[in-house]
Amino acid sequence: MSDKKGRDNQPTLDDVAKAAGVNRVTASIALRGPRPGARGGTRISEATRQRIIETARELGYAPNAIALAFRRQRTDLIGFYTGYGNAVDPHLPFMADVLHGLQQGCARHQQDLVIYGGFARHSTNEIYSALVSGKIDGLVVLPSPQNPVVEKLVHSYLPAVAIANTVAGLPSVTVDDIGGSQLLATYLARKGHRRVLYRTDTVDHVSPGLRRRSFLQAAAAHDLEVIVSLPESSSDTMTAAEHALLTGPLHQRPSVVVCWVDTSAYAFLADCAHYGIRVPEDIAVAGFDGIVGVVPPLYRLTTVRAPWRAVTECAVDLVMQLIENHKVPPETTLPVELIVGETA
Amino acid sequence: MSDKKGRDNQPTLDDVAKAAGVNRVTASIALRGPRPGARGGTRISEATRQRIIETARELGYAPNAIALAFRRQRTDLIGFYTGYGNAVDPHLPFMADVLHGLQQGCARHQQDLVIYGGFARHSTNEIYSALVSGKIDGLVVLPSPQNPVVEKLVHSYLPAVAIANTVAGLPSVTVDDIGGSQLLATYLARKGHRRVLYRTDTVDHVSPGLRRRSFLQAAAAHDLEVIVSLPESSSDTMTAAEHALLTGPLHQRPSVVVCWVDTSAYAFLADCAHYGIRVPEDIAVAGFDGIVGVVPPLYRLTTVRAPWRAVTECAVDLVMQLIENHKVPPETTLPVELIVGETA
DNA sequence: ATGAAAGCGCTAACAT
DNA sequence: ATGTTAGCGCTTTCAT
């Protein structure tokens, strides 16, 4: 086995050139072709080129990616930054979709993906510096509300695209929160529901806000009464107030719970099972996201499917456009779909 | 908003030095401290240092990560390579665990993580070249059987550690497949089972093989009869033969199905539900992995929990050791735990 | 306590 | 068709 002493004794372009008896530049061009407009292939004779390629193969030459990146000012690396803490927990279906989209997007453009680590205990400036340090060519951002790093990115040179939530000054890719909420309100009204408990997010963010407001509006248009509830977002368990409503007098009891996001709905379903509340007989439940897991769930949830993978892939596409100095639309909205399960 | 024209007009160390009226080197040391043994902080007077730091702040100086990496021969990037095709689908709980472990591990060592894209249509040599190009300092490998890239990595300078399966020549981190299988066999024998249907993998790989052989051995020791079944691994649906066994004459019907991996078990459970076969009354089911999802599952599976996240984190630790030229053990095995659910 | 020089591996621009 | 020169931004070594 070879020594594991580092890349130092790897052959360089100079080594190849020397071994083939040509100049460094000749080797460079023979192996990777000229970058600029360049006068076609006439630069190097086919014989020399073949000899150089063969020499490179023999020596086991692999170009130094860092030197290349240094020279070209291009790393072929796309980064991902999430405002929600350091960890990108891929067990969350939303994150899994995002990661999958990042990968597919990067693969399509022959880029590699960088997930940052160790931002946890860093200051805004340190994180920002790391992002714009030139390590990556572009960035997909999952913005959290009022994130100062995201604010700085808006004014930076770094090509960046936001997903899931709009950010003023950054091109964003989102799902049709408004359309989805309307779809849901209309469906529930048709099914004969008159009173809805709407569970929303405690953190004020663009997308949940849009969903809530547009649901309220659509509900009003359908004569649906809506009670808004704010469970603790970390656990999403059923609050005392919610429990009281569901077990209270029939004439003020909601017949359906709409959750701003599927995870909240699943947590609610689990609590219903725990309290012996039957779904959908006692209460119907609907979500928003369209989570799919490999593990067959307890219930097939009625929900609005949001194409997060596609959203993220699209964001990567836009980042590539920006990198190549093309214009991109400030907002891209992808359509959603109503999925009728067995819970509502 | 600033122009998005690239990093070119970012201030360099020279700019900072010039603005502060000092030499480049002085600025370098003031901002990042001397790398080598170096004679403490006496190098630069506190006054100069402060002035330089202040100047850097004013100019919005951020060091060029690529130039740094070029100089230091160190990118602070850890890569991940999977032999199983290009896509690292984070929806698979195993992959989610691995990704999570990679992130946590990288975070602990202040490294960033690179997920490769676009290896799909590349040759062994191209993939290998990309891996050893210097873009990353070290690599975590999820080896697939007889993968030529993995073979080449064994002989390369690149610090690399395998997970889940051992690879000759590479330090590996695995789970205790043998112990887990014994745990399961013993548990099932105690529960009074006498005939087991064992579902295994169609691809011949180290870890599944270990599980199967050690289960067979432990089963024999407990007078358990084992029938081995090889469902099509992509779908994992119940085969005709399996169905025949489960609905056939009682005296040759297995009382429990053991699946080499949880996903196979869940697929089997879904099929049982479909055919009206009751679990665990008609047939008990057990798995291996200990998948946990956010969505409450149909059944709480009896299984052996394998700590894949910890395995991967450990692999990152070892990669860091290798990078720093320390010795690491050729094999690390992490303990597993029997999880008694409601299916067996 | 600070400065000057050299060079990491590569390619664009300008010779020949 | 090929060679020479210069330099990307940074740190290490050796002067001062």
Side-chain angles (χ1 to χ4, degrees), chain A residues 4 6, chain B residues 78-79 136-141 153 156-161 170-171 318-325:
Chain A
K4 292 262 177 185
Chain B
I78 301 292
I136 54 174
D137 297 336
L139 187 67
V140 173
V141 179
L153 283 171
S156 85
Y157 80 92
L158 186 74
V161 173
L170 240 44
L318 295 184
V319 167
M320 292 308 294
Q321 294 291 323
L322 289 176
I323 290 175
E324 282 147 23
N325 278 318

Side-chain angles (χ1 to χ4, degrees), chain A residues 13 24 28 32 35 61 64 68 71:
Chain A
L13 197 55
R24 213 200 309 184
S28 168
R32 267 177 305 288
R35 282 276 121 190
Y61 169 76
N64 183 325
L68 260 173
R71 189 60 247 241

Side-chain angles (χ1 to χ4, degrees), chain A residues 5-336:
Chain A
K5 291 301 175 206
R7 201 176 189 283
D8 313 342
N9 28 25
Q10 279 278 116
T12 84
L13 197 55
D14 266 331
D15 297 328
V16 177
K18 230 162 278 172
V22 297
N23 184 278
R24 213 200 309 184
V25 183
T26 312
S28 168
I29 296 179
L31 291 174
R32 267 177 305 288
R35 282 276 121 190
R39 304 81 85 188
T42 64
R43 169 93 221 226
I44 284 135
S45 73
E46 197 46 34
T48 339
R49 141 171 287 124
Q50 285 309 329
R51 184 158 42 89
I52 294 173
I53 291 176
E54 179 55 21
T55 314
R57 231 186 35 70
E58 275 169 16
L59 292 176
Y61 169 76
N64 183 325
I66 298 307
L68 260 173
F70 184 40
R71 189 60 247 241
R72 306 226 254 243
Q73 298 282 33
R74 192 85 144 58
T75 58
D76 291 345
L77 246 27
I78 301 292
F80 174 60
Y81 172 72
T82 164
Y84 297 95
N86 169 43
V88 184
D89 188 345
H91 294 281
L92 305 175
F94 169 77
M95 273 302 173
D97 263 16
V98 169
L99 285 172
H100 205 190
L102 284 168
Q103 281 183 56
Q104 306 267 101
C106 286
R108 176 157 62 234
H109 298 281
Q110 301 271 76
Q111 305 292 297
D112 301 322
L113 173 65
V114 175
I115 309 284
Y116 283 93
F119 277 174
R121 43 175 185 231
H122 281 44
S123 71
T124 298
N125 277 325
E126 286 169 323
I127 297 175
Y128 175 75
S129 285
L131 291 175
V132 301
S133 70
K135 205 170 196 170
I136 54 174
D137 296 337
L139 187 68
V140 173
V141 179
L142 175 61
S144 58
Q146 332 241 318
N147 186 305
V149 174
V150 177
E151 274 319 304
K152 295 197 75 169
L153 284 170
V154 170
H155 302 288
S156 84
Y157 81 91
L158 186 73
V161 173
I163 56 170
N165 279 288
T166 53
V167 172
L170 240 44
S172 319
V173 187
T174 57
V175 298
D176 187 2
D177 291 305
I178 299 175
S181 296
Q182 288 170 346
L183 239 42
L184 206 50
T186 307
Y187 170 75
L188 294 176
R190 287 250 174 80
K191 291 271 278 191
H193 292 285
R194 296 270 71 92
R195 197 175 293 105
V196 184
L197 179 65
Y198 191 90
R199 305 186 102 200
T200 186
D201 192 16
T202 46
V203 184
D204 191 34
H205 212 327
V206 183
S207 179
L210 260 185
R211 287 184 196 173
R212 178 171 30 81
R213 283 194 302 278
S214 48
F215 185 84
L216 289 177
Q217 198 173 328
H222 287 291
D223 269 337
L224 278 169
E225 182 190 335
V226 182
I227 309 158
V228 173
S229 168
L230 266 94
E232 209 208 322
S233 62
S234 57
S235 65
D236 270 329
T237 50
M238 196 186 291
T239 65
E242 286 174 338
H243 186 259
L245 261 177
L246 296 191
T247 53
L250 250 180
H251 65 276
Q252 59 184 43
R253 194 186 291 179
S255 57
V256 58
V257 175
V258 172
C259 303
W260 78 280
V261 70
D262 279 5
T263 44
S264 169
Y266 280 115
F268 190 83
L269 285 173
D271 286 342
C272 284
H274 177 255
Y275 289 119
I277 301 170
R278 293 165 307 161
V279 176
E281 294 82 357
D282 298 334
I283 185 86
V285 176
F288 202 118
D289 251 5
I291 284 178
V292 277
V294 271
V295 180
L298 199 53
Y299 299 96
R300 291 190 307 106
L301 184 68
T302 294
T303 189
V304 174
R305 178 163 300 153
W308 294 119
R309 215 207 57 226
V311 163
T312 316
E313 269 194 67
C314 176
V316 175
D317 289 343
L318 296 184
V319 167
M320 292 307 295
Q321 294 291 323
L322 289 175
I323 290 175
E324 282 148 23
N325 280 318
H326 298 140
K327 289 230 173 303
V328 304
E331 260 183 68
T332 308
T333 305
L334 267 44
V336 298

Side-chain angles (χ1 to χ4, degrees), chain B residues 36-86:
Chain B
R39 304 80 86 186
T42 64
R43 168 93 223 225
I44 283 135
S45 71
E46 195 47 34
T48 337
R49 142 170 287 123
Q50 285 309 330
R51 184 157 42 88
I52 293 172
I53 291 176
E54 178 56 20
T55 314
R57 230 186 37 67
E58 275 170 15
L59 264 53
Y61 168 76
N64 183 325
I66 297 306
L68 260 173
F70 184 41
R71 188 59 246 236
R72 306 226 254 241
Q73 296 283 34
R74 192 86 143 57
T75 58
D76 291 344
L77 247 26
I78 301 292
F80 174 62
Y81 171 72
T82 166
Y84 297 96
N86 170 43

Side-chain angles (χ1 to χ4, degrees), chain B residues 97-133:
Chain B
D97 263 16
V98 169
L99 285 173
H100 205 192
L102 285 168
Q103 281 182 57
Q104 305 267 100
C106 286
R108 174 155 67 235
H109 298 281
Q110 301 269 78
Q111 306 292 298
D112 301 321
L113 172 66
V114 175
I115 309 284
Y116 283 93
F119 277 174
R121 43 174 184 231
H122 280 45
S123 72
T124 298
N125 276 325
E126 287 169 324
I127 297 175
Y128 175 75
S129 285
L131 291 175
V132 300
S133 69

